Amino acid sequence: MSETQSTAPAASEPGKRVPEGRRVIFLLDAASALEERMLRRWVEARCGESAPAEVVRLDASRRVRPGDGEVLETALATDDDPLLLPLRVAWLAPQRDGRRAARLSHLLLLGDPRDPGSLRARWIARLKPDRCRIVEAEAAPASELRQRWRAALGQDVAETVGLAQFVARQAALALERGERKLRGARYKVPRLLREDILERSAFQGGIARLARELGREPRALAREASRALREIAASHSPLMIDVFAQILGSSMRGYESLRVDQAQVEEIRLLAQRHPLVFLPTHKSNLDHGVLRRVLHENGLPPNHTAGGDNMKFFPMGSIARRAGIFFIRRSFKEDAVYKFVLRSYIDFLIEKRFPLEWYVEGGRSRSGKLLPPRYGLLAYVVDAYRRGKSEDVMLIPVSIAYDQISEVGEYAAEQRGVPKEREGLGWLIRFQRRLGRQYGNIDLRFGEPLSLRKTIGEPPQSGQVDATEPDLTVQKIAFEVCARINRVTPITPISLAMLALLRTDSAMSVSELRNALVPLVEYVERRGLPTTEKLVFDTPKDLERLLDPLVANGVLARFDGGRDVVYSIDGNQPIAAAYYRNTIIHFLINGAIAELALLSAAESEDCRGAFWAEVNRLRDVLKFEFFFAEKDVYLGEIRRELALHALDWESQLDRPSEVRALLQQIRPFLAHRVLRPFLEAYWVVADHLASLSHAQAADETELLRACLAWGQQYVLQRRIQSREAVSRSLLQTGLRLAGHRGLLDAASPTLAEERRQFADELRETLGRVDAIDALGAARRAGALA
């Protein structure tokens, strides 16, 4: 059954009359006696006097109101081939500012305007007839539905589902699609999800297989699977979709605007008409889901089925979020075979039915500001669904969400210093909402280039059999490509660039000093054509004060204007917060920083060219757990293009140390000390601590991290390291990961003490080159002032 709908009010004249000589059975989906009367009047007017109206009442879709199942079975058992035409009354929300949407006040006071109670329905029908419409699905012959039922038996429909039950379900689905045309695509949600999944032969066969493998009774396992699906699946409600959108909108009151490229939105709309979409946004704030949801909702696109951690199920947001499209999954379920099977079946259903999916490719929120390494779990389920033929293609949509400021940055800084993370709950939510009353600037959302699974990994196997040896590596490559595409479209904000300049020194900077530091950075950004949220303008002191004063208001910077000049400095406990904003853009700068250190290494060697490329590759290996590097050949090409920005013939200057040093002086601005110092200093703290252990077995990671935090704090006080932001959990954890990768956490090696010392020496030597780049920059600035 396909669908059409009457756009006239229920009380108005119906459309085409029933064709003469053909038996038509009207299937009424009526949630109340009033709706049934309205539908019967409409049918009588439609049929006219030429033919008696034949109606069958279905089980109501919105309320518990049983239908005439036996009558439908009798009607389908006749020898003729009647047309079946489903009908429903659709109640619309009041119109406000050109849109019909429910509001939070409806939830609290009046109830769902799309499902009014008896008295309210009568009032609407009499006084607001434009808010009640008849939805009419196109008539389908009983013979056609009988054929579809037979074809579906044992595949998408259980053997126990009779023809009448199948017809009723098809009618409900057709009416849902018809009603969606009245409400809009933003309310596209699954209907009969549980029945569709639980009754599939593939699902039931999987349960039988699991029962044999686990040695359990199939019926008990089926009940457990049903409970798991109830625990996982979102249960959309148009009312909650609207209410959630209103709540999310109020949560963004601290932001001046949410900026998005409408041309990109239209590209997404076209893709959604042909393929299932999987949105993979960055995760910097608890507002991220609301930002993407608002863009989709305001542009009439359906809500994503968004994966959320079960830590966010607390009252009352858990219930609202689930009914707005969030499905909650456990943090860990590796040992639960039934739960994994149900989750896979749920993902299969969403991909097959082209419902959009969303989750954070990083897993949790980034506490450092830069993109975290990707998580593979849900992506593996989607790739598996595609490879088993659930869709002809799946489009992965990278999404970058950039904020001028975020409200959580203070929490992140505290957690990076070792303070335990606050547990989510109602009190946490109230405090979070209260902070959002401050001013945080703008939000920019950018869609990266969509990634087609069909183009990336080829067509699914014809047999549906998947090679179990391939998917892990395939999923990793896809995830890294998504992250690379996110980084390419992540825009540079004026604040991120200002923090890059301010974090160069521990001392305060005057407005004029800061402007002088920003000018070469802006020229570099423009020369490379990097994406920005707006034109970078720092022409006057007022430009910079307007940029920096909101950071003062939110406690990230300190301002002193009692002397000759207005000066800004990073507040005492906030270097990690300031670094958070800087780190959102350093993926654009990492290759330039590496090239500078490699040139210094080349200038110290007789084989300048060989030393340069060796250092380029060594630094890639040191930093590979921190940044997303391209494949080696592509990466080397990026280094070449980076240096060509400063000197087109740079490779001809790699033969002698003097030429290399002259080439280094052509680079503007220097980046290594601004970009790499905190990461390398954090790694050196880890390496120095491990070296102090000699050949002893390292403690577990928690104890090691605690010790490294303490050592780092000591080294900052002693000025043995310069970057206060280096003493952070995430950077030290990556240092431990690098040490573990090199086998420096295991006492099995007889040369462990020497290997740990060499690791510390290697990082100390690299930091010496960072100091040298810093000194070259200082000399250049002194020369400019002279």
Side-chain angles (χ1 to χ4, degrees), residues 28 189 242 304 356 373 394 425 483 500 555 557 716 744 768:
L28 309 187
V189 298
D242 284 340
N304 294 337
V394 178
C483 291
L500 181 68
L557 298 183
V716 166
L744 302 180

Tab-separated table of all heavy atoms in Angstrom, residues 28 189 242 304 356 373 394 425 483 500 555 557 716 744 768:
chain	number	residue	atom	x	y	z
A	28	LEU	N	-10.277	1.221	8.902
A	28	LEU	CA	-10.287	2.410	9.754
A	28	LEU	C	-9.348	2.231	10.947
A	28	LEU	O	-9.512	1.309	11.747
A	28	LEU	CB	-11.704	2.684	10.267
A	28	LEU	CG	-12.829	2.738	9.226
A	28	LEU	CD1	-14.117	3.195	9.889
A	28	LEU	CD2	-12.458	3.630	8.061
A	189	VAL	N	10.104	8.144	11.626
A	189	VAL	CA	10.547	7.250	12.690
A	189	VAL	C	10.029	5.847	12.407
A	189	VAL	O	9.065	5.671	11.659
A	189	VAL	CB	10.043	7.740	14.073
A	189	VAL	CG1	10.604	9.108	14.402
A	189	VAL	CG2	8.510	7.776	14.101
A	242	ASP	N	9.693	17.140	19.187
A	242	ASP	CA	9.525	18.591	19.266
A	242	ASP	C	10.003	19.147	20.601
A	242	ASP	O	10.686	20.173	20.657
A	242	ASP	CB	8.051	18.954	19.065
A	242	ASP	CG	7.619	18.856	17.616
A	242	ASP	OD1	8.486	18.887	16.729
A	242	ASP	OD2	6.405	18.738	17.374
A	304	ASN	N	18.209	11.590	13.814
A	304	ASN	CA	19.119	10.450	13.792
A	304	ASN	C	18.818	9.505	14.942
A	304	ASN	O	18.366	9.923	16.012
A	304	ASN	CB	20.567	10.925	13.904
A	304	ASN	CG	21.009	11.724	12.699
A	304	ASN	OD1	20.437	11.593	11.619
A	304	ASN	ND2	22.010	12.560	12.876
A	356	PRO	N	18.552	7.149	9.575
A	356	PRO	CA	19.900	7.674	9.810
A	356	PRO	C	20.418	7.329	11.205
A	356	PRO	O	19.667	7.313	12.176
A	356	PRO	CB	19.732	9.188	9.646
A	356	PRO	CG	18.278	9.435	9.951
A	356	PRO	CD	17.539	8.219	9.472
A	373	PRO	N	41.657	9.282	19.023
A	373	PRO	CA	41.652	8.083	18.175
A	373	PRO	C	40.249	7.503	18.090
A	373	PRO	O	39.491	7.541	19.064
A	373	PRO	CB	42.604	7.123	18.897
A	373	PRO	CG	43.484	8.001	19.725
A	373	PRO	CD	42.624	9.158	20.138
A	394	VAL	N	26.164	2.523	1.959
A	394	VAL	CA	25.987	3.286	3.199
A	394	VAL	C	26.924	4.479	3.107
A	394	VAL	O	28.111	4.315	2.766
A	394	VAL	CB	26.321	2.452	4.456
A	394	VAL	CG1	26.160	3.307	5.715
A	394	VAL	CG2	25.444	1.213	4.541
A	425	GLY	N	24.012	13.260	36.396
A	425	GLY	CA	22.770	13.089	37.142
A	425	GLY	C	21.990	14.388	37.089
A	425	GLY	O	22.379	15.349	36.411
A	483	CYS	N	38.151	10.321	10.255
A	483	CYS	CA	38.799	11.314	11.120
A	483	CYS	C	39.609	12.317	10.305
A	483	CYS	O	39.606	13.520	10.606
A	483	CYS	CB	39.695	10.610	12.140
A	483	CYS	SG	38.780	9.665	13.384
A	500	LEU	N	47.043	29.996	20.452
A	500	LEU	CA	48.320	29.522	19.907
A	500	LEU	C	49.412	30.567	20.132
A	500	LEU	O	50.557	30.235	20.466
A	500	LEU	CB	48.154	29.234	18.412
A	500	LEU	CG	49.382	28.715	17.676
A	500	LEU	CD1	49.731	27.310	18.142
A	500	LEU	CD2	49.141	28.717	16.162
A	555	GLY	N	36.903	33.112	32.796
A	555	GLY	CA	37.958	32.642	33.683
A	555	GLY	C	39.131	31.968	33.026
A	555	GLY	O	39.988	31.409	33.720
A	557	LEU	N	41.317	33.621	30.747
A	557	LEU	CA	42.380	34.621	30.700
A	557	LEU	C	42.210	35.622	31.834
A	557	LEU	O	41.128	35.759	32.410
A	557	LEU	CB	42.354	35.373	29.360
A	557	LEU	CG	42.582	34.566	28.079
A	557	LEU	CD1	42.587	35.509	26.875
A	557	LEU	CD2	43.873	33.777	28.142
A	716	VAL	N	57.445	21.423	36.441
A	716	VAL	CA	56.959	22.774	36.134
A	716	VAL	C	57.478	23.761	37.174
A	716	VAL	O	57.962	24.849	36.833
A	716	VAL	CB	55.414	22.795	36.075
A	716	VAL	CG1	54.893	24.228	36.105
A	716	VAL	CG2	54.918	22.091	34.819
A	744	LEU	N	58.623	-0.711	26.905
A	744	LEU	CA	59.333	-0.143	28.048
A	744	LEU	C	58.566	-0.266	29.354
A	744	LEU	O	59.038	0.220	30.395
A	744	LEU	CB	59.642	1.336	27.777
A	744	LEU	CG	60.470	1.613	26.515
A	744	LEU	CD1	60.718	3.098	26.343
A	744	LEU	CD2	61.799	0.855	26.566
A	768	GLY	N	65.546	19.719	22.858
A	768	GLY	CA	66.617	20.688	22.632
A	768	GLY	C	66.436	21.399	21.297
A	768	GLY	O	66.683	22.611	21.187
